[in-house]
Amino acid sequence: MKRKSYHRKQKRVKRTRKTLTLFVAFASAIVVAFVALRIYVQVAGAPPLTVPKASIFLDENENQIGDHFTNQRRYWVGLNEMSPYLKEAVVAVEDKDFYKHGGFDYSRIAGAILVDIKAGGKVQGASTITQQYARNLYLSHEKSWTRKLNEALYAYRLEVFYDKDKILEGYLNTVYYGHGMYGVEAASRFYFGKSASDLTLAEAAMLTGVPKGPSIYSPIANLEKATNRQHVILKLMADQGAISQEEKTRAENEQLVLKNDSWVATKSVAPYFLDVAWQEASEILKTKNLDISEGGWTIQTTLNLEHQKAAEEAVAKNMPASDLQTAFVSMESKTGAVTALVGGRDYSVSSFNRVTQAKRQPGSTIKPILYAAALENGYTPLTFLDVGETTFTYDNGRGTYAPKNVNGQFADHDMTMAQAIAISDNIYAVKTLEDIGFKEFHDMANRFSVGIGAKDNLSIALGTIETTLYEMTNAYNILASQGQQTIPTTIVSIKNANGDVIYENKDVTSKAEKAISKENAFILTEMMTGIFDPVFSDYSPATGISIRSRMTHTYAAKSGSTNSDQWLIGFTPSLTAGVWNGYDQGKNLTTKEDTAATKQIWIDFMETVNKGTKNEDFKKPKGVEGVVIDIETGKLATDACPKQRLVYVESKDVPTEKCTNFDILDSNTWGEFWNMLPFSLFKGDEKNKQ
């Protein structure tokens, strides 16, 4: 018996030793594993918290007008920039022990494992806020043990290197709230039209319920289910002491107003403009070795919301019910700041930007640039040319070119440059180019940043080389800025996600080079006011007569037309606007509605934005004088010459002759007439009598 008792005792000792050994080995393995894990975590370092962020666009007054995002719409905000109710609601429903555990809730994990074992698969989660944040940042939402293991590893790393508030902030900025919204700020703006910092308790609880199932608990998708979940969250908050019963009751009874319709409407603000601004901002950041796709940029633009509204309303009012397309852009003269831009009739149908991307023949809108070159080569507004029907020869007489005017008619008399630009005479333009030479025209076009092609062809005087409305409007903007070169821009400043100013657009106009002299810019500008003056009408009316009755301000402008394009670009001393109309596929303009839209859009815009403002006159520089001229002769007008007009020329070019030597209403004329009679005889007799 003693022997058997001894053997049993020895067996117990062996089992005990084996168990103890296994326990020590297991414990050692765990310690080693934790040490190895800790070493790995330290070596691996803090996991990055970078996520794609939406970039925000502001208008000139720093009002938000849109955003740009890559895959996810997200605005990152700090925990202190969120309503405190959000923090309390999320912790209450997602992880009540968040501030107590080290990233894992072991009791919830154990319960979830038992459920999964019974179900034979991964059906229930026990993820803490830290684990969910890790999944949102680094992993997919696949339900597998491998993904869960990786999730735990990332969660541990997050807990080691970041404090609880940083983790909670990250979670709230990455969780999905449905409808393409990531993070509380984007969701708050979408659902309630306000920043996350301004959410009420009821709104915060409603928003917190959405991530559990965005397609089920979104108040837009199912208000009843969303409200039920909101009440569950409010009860949890009250039970955990985060809010009082009175606050809970008040929040349950609060009538929430959803603002998603308003949010959608704000996304349609100047979409063509925002595309241009995004592209320009991208180029600016490239020069600083920065990538715009990082997101998180705050881009203040030059957009003037009143101007944009006026432009869009003018387009909507005047475009005919056809496939006719449009383009509009306006710029400040001194800075080149783009204040409004419409790249087509409907961005949702076509995002093709007809302001910056469409290259079309500018027609007669090119003529002011040609005449700027002419003014530098001896021409004046009173230079006469024979503008009768003309056939030009080129290529040593082997080719001919016979330009026509829009109505097919020609003048039967010589004409001044001032009148030729007013009625858009084509013969005058071609003869001018032939006279001054292609080199001078190319040089001037380069100074105005307009491409007119490399080939020397007389037809380029009539705008046959394609260009964009953006380029042409900027060229006119140079005239509006008294000949100072301008560069169109949509950007005021760019800040990074930390609020640091990366780029600021300084007004460099004062340092810019001159395209033409102030004198010539003013003289050309004043000639361009003539398109609205009927005194210049001849075989064809002055081209702006149809909108003259609507003008309450002084404008300088030039129209242009081809078989498939209509243009009008004009300006005041402070603002330039350009309009184009045509068909995308080059279809000819055949109806009156097609050809009338351009001028009506332009005048609607200019009169709207200038309403209630004082009229601006173009500033006359020294060395330029205004004289009243007889249009038909180019000489000083008298009352005997009915076609009179104030014309500005350089002082040296002021005419000295009158249009006629006899004016029945001029006292000087009568004095000269009496002096011509032989009254001296009678005067002599009178002396003798005395």
Side-chain angles (χ1 to χ4, degrees):
M1 290 294 294
K2 289 182 179 180
R3 187 179 180 89
K4 289 182 179 180
S5 177
Y6 174 77
H7 283 298
R8 283 198 297 269
K9 184 177 179 182
Q10 286 297 314
K11 287 180 180 180
R12 284 197 300 270
V13 170
K14 287 180 180 180
R15 282 199 299 269
T16 301
R17 287 176 179 174
K18 187 176 182 179
T19 302
L20 184 61
T21 301
L22 288 173
F23 175 77
V24 171
F26 180 71
S28 299
I30 291 176
V31 171
V32 170
F34 272 109
V35 170
L37 178 63
R38 186 70 181 195
I39 292 172
Y40 164 75
V41 168
Q42 292 294 338
V43 171
L49 302 182
T50 303
V51 295
K53 307 178 184 71
S55 294
I56 299 171
F57 290 107
L58 309 176
D59 69 4
E60 62 173 1
N61 295 317
E62 299 189 27
N63 300 307
Q64 185 173 337
I65 55 174
D67 55 26
H68 193 286
F69 61 104
T70 51
N71 298 318
Q72 302 173 354
R73 188 180 299 278
R74 183 199 319 278
Y75 313 98
W76 194 282
V77 291
L79 199 62
N80 62 341
E81 298 174 278
M82 304 176 193
S83 166
Y85 294 125
L86 274 172
K87 172 181 172 181
E88 293 164 350
V90 168
V91 170
V93 72
E94 295 292 343
D95 189 358
K96 65 183 179 63
D97 295 321
F98 173 68
Y99 282 95
K100 299 176 183 177
H101 61 62
F104 306 96
D105 189 328
Y106 296 105
S107 60
R108 290 176 65 190
I109 291 174
I113 290 174
L114 288 176
V115 172
D116 291 345
I117 291 172
K118 288 180 181 179
K122 187 80 183 64
V123 297
Q124 181 170 318
S127 297
T128 62
I129 285 175
T130 307
Q131 289 173 278
Q132 292 182 58
Y133 182 32
R135 183 173 64 240
N136 292 340
L137 274 180
Y138 313 114
L139 304 167
S140 70
H141 287 254
E142 174 193 7
K143 288 188 176 182
S144 69
W145 291 107
T146 302
R147 194 269 296 162
K148 200 68 181 174
L149 185 62
N150 285 326
E151 178 185 296
L153 185 58
Y154 275 115
Y156 181 59
R157 290 176 65 190
L158 287 171
E159 289 280 349
V160 168
F161 288 101
Y162 301 104
D163 63 35
K164 289 290 187 177
D165 281 349
K166 191 69 176 177
I167 293 171
L168 183 58
E169 175 186 304
Y171 170 80
L172 286 167
N173 277 292
T174 55
V175 69
Y176 182 53
Y177 287 91
H179 306 282
M181 303 297 128
Y182 289 80
V184 292
E185 184 68 11
S188 181
R189 294 184 193 183
F190 176 75
Y191 288 109
F192 302 114
K194 61 174 68 174
S195 173
S197 62
D198 300 323
L199 290 174
T200 65
L201 171 59
E203 291 167 339
M206 177 68 78
L207 207 58
T208 301
V210 176
K212 181 177 176 64
S215 61
I216 301 171
Y217 298 111
S218 160
I220 296 170
N222 192 318
L223 183 59
E224 182 181 356
K225 288 185 177 180
T227 302
N228 290 339
R229 179 149 177 80
Q230 175 206 40
H231 289 178
V232 169
I233 293 169
L234 289 169
K235 182 178 184 305
L236 286 171
M237 293 176 73
D239 291 346
Q240 295 172 25
I243 58 173
S244 66
Q245 287 295 328
E246 183 182 352
E247 287 176 308
K248 169 181 172 291
T249 302
R250 191 163 55 245
E252 288 174 337
N253 294 326
E254 183 178 325
Q255 293 295 315
L256 300 186
V257 179
L258 298 175
K259 297 288 185 69
N260 58 295
D261 288 341
S262 299
W263 185 92
V264 171
T266 63
K267 300 304 106 183
S268 63
V269 174
Y272 291 104
F273 175 93
L274 294 183
D275 281 354
V276 177
W278 182 257
Q279 183 61 37
E280 185 180 348
S282 177
E283 295 300 323
I284 290 170
L285 291 173
K286 277 183 184 177
T287 65
K288 300 179 180 296
N289 296 318
L290 295 171
D291 187 354
I292 199 167
S293 64
E294 294 174 12
W297 309 103
T298 298
I299 304 169
Q300 185 180 357
T301 72
T302 58
L303 187 74
N304 181 312
L305 283 177
E306 291 183 3
H307 287 196
Q308 184 67 27
K309 181 182 178 183
E312 291 175 355
E313 289 180 349
V315 167
K317 174 184 174 183
N318 294 294
M319 289 296 288
S322 67
D323 294 331
L324 186 72
Q325 273 295 348
T326 191
F328 174 94
V329 64
S330 58
M331 304 173 182
E332 289 182 356
S333 62
K334 290 182 173 59
T335 63
V338 177
T339 65
L341 189 150
V342 179
R345 296 183 72 159
D346 190 339
Y347 186 85
S348 64
V349 174
S350 170
S351 62
F352 179 69
N353 194 325
R354 295 157 188 85
V355 173
T356 59
Q357 294 176 290
K359 288 197 169 187
R360 309 290 292 228
Q361 292 183 355
S364 293
T365 57
I366 201 71
K367 289 176 181 175
I369 299 176
L370 172 64
Y371 294 145
L375 290 174
E376 289 190 356
N377 285 271
Y379 280 63
T380 79
L382 303 178
T383 297
F384 278 89
L385 292 179
D386 176 4
V387 291
E389 186 172 3
T390 306
T391 298
F392 298 87
T393 60
Y394 60 90
D395 194 17
N396 295 321
R398 288 190 291 268
T400 60
Y401 175 52
K404 298 184 181 300
N405 293 309
V406 172
N407 62 3
Q409 299 180 34
F410 301 90
D412 57 4
H413 56 83
D414 290 359
M415 186 176 289
T416 63
M417 182 191 288
Q419 187 172 19
I421 197 171
I423 68 172
S424 202
D425 186 272
N426 287 337
I427 306 302
Y428 196 104
V430 177
K431 282 194 171 183
T432 301
L433 176 56
E434 185 181 52
D435 181 32
I436 67 172
F438 292 103
K439 182 179 181 301
E440 299 296 334
F441 189 23
H442 281 289
D443 175 61
M444 186 59 67
N446 288 336
R447 283 190 259 164
F448 276 84
S449 300
V450 172
I452 58 171
K455 292 184 178 180
D456 292 341
N457 189 310
L458 288 173
S459 67
I460 65 175
L462 306 183
T464 56
I465 303 301
E466 294 179 341
T467 185
T468 66
L469 180 63
Y470 208 52
E471 287 181 352
M472 288 303 301
T473 305
N474 181 60
Y476 280 53
N477 207 43
I478 290 173
L479 292 176
S481 62
Q482 298 179 296
Q484 202 85 9
Q485 287 184 338
T486 58
I487 299 174
T489 181
T490 59
I491 306 297
V492 174
S493 66
I494 303 174
K495 295 179 182 178
N496 63 17
N498 297 322
D500 303 319
V501 177
I502 302 300
Y503 168 81
E504 192 167 14
N505 186 3
K506 307 285 187 180
D507 182 6
V508 296
T509 305
S510 59
K511 300 177 183 178
E513 295 181 4
K514 281 280 188 182
I516 56 174
S517 67
K518 282 186 178 182
E519 293 78 12
N520 283 344
F522 177 80
I523 290 170
L524 185 54
T525 294
E526 284 296 328
M527 280 196 287
M528 292 168 66
T529 65
I531 78 163
F532 306 109
D533 194 338
V535 74
F536 284 119
S537 296
D538 198 88
Y539 66 86
S540 181
T543 57
I545 291 297
S546 62
I547 57 176
R548 174 185 171 86
S549 62
R550 300 189 55 197
M551 292 169 48
T552 61
H553 287 67
T554 301
Y555 302 119
K558 185 72 188 74
S559 61
S561 62
T562 70
N563 290 334
S564 56
D565 304 274
Q566 285 282 332
W567 303 65
L568 183 63
I569 310 174
F571 53 91
T572 66
S574 59
L575 186 69
T576 304
V579 183
W580 166 87
N581 285 112
Y583 290 94
D584 284 339
Q585 302 306 319
K587 173 183 170 184
N588 285 350
L589 304 173
T590 56
T591 68
K592 182 179 179 181
E593 290 77 12
D594 285 353
T595 57
T598 307
K599 291 174 184 175
Q600 296 303 324
I601 291 171
W602 187 87
I603 194 63
D604 270 359
F605 172 81
M606 293 300 274
E607 284 296 308
T608 298
V609 300
N610 287 307
K611 186 177 181 180
T613 63
K614 185 178 179 181
N615 183 55
E616 295 179 275
D617 290 320
F618 297 104
K619 186 177 180 181
K620 182 173 73 69
K622 293 180 179 180
V624 174
E625 294 185 30
V627 287
V628 179
I629 299 297
D630 169 49
I631 299 303
E632 294 182 346
T633 65
K635 298 177 181 179
L636 296 173
T638 68
D639 291 339
C641 304
K643 297 193 73 171
Q644 301 180 15
R645 219 268 184 176
L646 179 65
V647 175
Y648 288 87
V649 295
E650 291 191 49
S651 300
K652 64 181 178 60
D653 297 320
V654 173
T656 55
E657 291 185 62
K658 294 180 180 178
C659 61
T660 180
N661 290 325
F662 184 83
D663 183 352
I664 194 171
L665 301 176
D666 190 338
S667 60
N668 291 329
T669 298
W670 281 108
E672 293 176 4
F673 174 74
W674 287 113
N675 287 335
M676 293 170 62
L677 295 178
F679 287 145
S680 58
L681 298 175
F682 299 102
K683 291 178 181 178
D685 290 344
E686 288 296 322
K687 286 182 180 180
N688 292 334
K689 288 180 181 180
Q690 291 175 355

